[in-house]
Amino acid sequence: MTLIDLPVTGRAPEAARMASPPVRNPEATAGLPPPHAVAGFLHVGTDRLNGRLSRDIAGGWCFTAAGGRLPETVVRRLADPATAVATVPMVDRRQLRRRRLGPLRMAVVSVDAGRGVVRLTAALSGPVAERLKHPAEPLPAMLDGRSLNRRRLPACITAIGPYEAVAEVTGPAALLVPGTVMTLTVPRPWATPFRLRGRIIAVEAGAGDAGARIVLRMADPASVDRAAVLATCTAPGFGIHALWTYGLKPRGLMRHLRVVPVAGLADMATVYRLRRDANQFYGRRPDAHDPEAWADPLDACSILFLGLLGDKPIATARLVVNGGDRSRSELQALVPVPEEFWEGGFVEVSRLVVHPDFRGNRIRLDMFREVERLALGLGVRYLLFDAIPKLAPLYEAVGGRRLPLTKKHQDSDEIEQVMYVDMRAILARVNRFSAVWLAGFGGTLGRHLEIAGREPTDVILGPARRSPAAAVIRGMGRLLARAGG
């Protein structure tokens, strides 16, 4: 008999039933064991019960005691609203003990003493989620942990602070058991991935159990530092002063500061906003809300750059290149620039501002490193700039000297000191100041020499280019560049 002679007509209904699985009825499966449960302990006052914690069909959490019964003493204590109830998952108990984390407090919803079931809740804490800062865009991440049984779930961080993070997780909510220890791995294009290890303290299931929102509380000091750095580098409104409020000074924060040239209209708009925010913080031109009002005609003949801390622009400055044209000098229009500077050649540093959230963190020195790198590339001897009196000592520490000239601030009535840096004197003289300058700018000089060679610095040094002091300064710069990587 061939295959086409088989009597298949009568088997069609059975084939159809096999192809179409029956629709699941939640009520019909309520008595079945949960598909994912985590063994653990339930602490009820001073009593401790063995059992399993799992998600129920109502969206809450059930602790089922081993043996299916609750002792009478536990039932009486659960009837008292003042009794503390907490859970510890066995899969992570060693990590919790090592990090000195106690049991996770949960709220009791109901008790079924006959079946040995305690229904609990770990709802999302509104005040926790509201006080955290939100990144400009959700941060993609991956979530993994021992209780996930080698699964890795995609996630997005929607709010973050030094001690907690709120994440939207793609995956079954039943896998995200409160009290378990998880690791959020957050890649960023400007840093190595951040690994935030914490404990789930709250879970809120999404529609259809297709995902969940969780609150992760950091489990160790290293994760607190990483979360603080990530919040500072990504969340608007969270800056250095917010970290100080928490009493934190995370190591390595300034490693994520990079200085980039301004390119395009979007970057120019960012420059104008930074100028507005920084100046209005000090009460200058309070009515100039439009960022375009902070543009300047000399921007067209300037090298502008931005200081970015992670994703956030926090500082800006410009280098006005005059090429000997006196109409391109802001200082010349306000005070007479001495002729020796026009003869030797100079550029002006101006509009150096730092966002108010990051003031007082020596970011100006990082911006000045870029200024000196550009000055070395341009081969100019002098840098001219102005400074309010309280910042003048900061610039003197990097080689600035005061001229007997003062001027009014361009946006207020404040009096500013006119200052300059003589690059020839710095590069051709070895003294006590040389060690200070090399500590801050030696790596910049060394990298410039490796990239551009000696010709630009020879132009700056002039007759002193072959002096022993110049050779010493250049050699130390190369050594510091190699040591700094």
Side-chain angles (χ1 to χ4, degrees), residues 2 5 297 316 332:
T2 62
D5 296 326
T316 182
Q332 182 67 28

Side-chain angles (χ1 to χ4, degrees), residues 48-90:
R48 189 180 77 169
L49 301 177
N50 291 333
R52 290 156 61 87
L53 187 66
S54 60
R55 191 168 183 83
D56 62 15
I57 60 172
W61 297 91
C62 287
F63 178 84
T64 304
R69 59 178 297 274
L70 297 174
E72 290 296 330
T73 56
V74 171
V75 174
R76 287 196 298 269
R77 286 185 173 178
L78 287 172
D80 183 3
T83 301
V85 178
T87 61
V88 175
M90 290 185 64

Side-chain angles (χ1 to χ4, degrees), residues 297-309:
L298 292 180
D299 289 338
C301 57
S302 301
I303 302 172
L304 293 101
F305 44 95
L306 285 167
L308 302 176
L309 186 62

Side-chain angles (χ1 to χ4, degrees), residues 3 78 80 103 128 148-149 166 194 212 228 248 344 347 374 391 398 428 479:
L3 182 62
L78 287 172
D80 183 3
V128 170
L148 296 182
N149 194 17
V166 178
F194 292 84
L248 296 173
V347 292
L374 292 169
L391 291 180
V398 297
L479 287 174

Side-chain angles (χ1 to χ4, degrees), residues 31-55:
L32 298 178
H36 186 81
V38 173
F41 304 112
L42 181 69
H43 292 257
V44 182
T46 58
D47 292 325
R48 189 180 77 169
L49 301 177
N50 291 333
R52 290 156 61 87
L53 187 66
S54 60
R55 191 168 183 83

Side-chain angles (χ1 to χ4, degrees), residues 286-341:
D287 298 328
H289 300 299
D290 184 4
E292 295 289 338
W294 296 87
D296 186 271
L298 292 180
D299 289 338
C301 57
S302 301
I303 302 172
L304 293 101
F305 44 95
L306 285 167
L308 302 176
L309 186 62
D311 295 333
K312 295 163 66 172
I314 64 168
T316 182
R318 73 179 183 186
L319 208 61
V320 184
V321 183
N322 55 60
D325 186 348
R326 301 188 181 226
S327 66
R328 292 184 174 182
S329 170
E330 183 177 27
L331 286 173
Q332 182 67 28
L334 299 173
V335 294
V337 176
E339 287 299 320
E340 63 180 291
F341 293 99

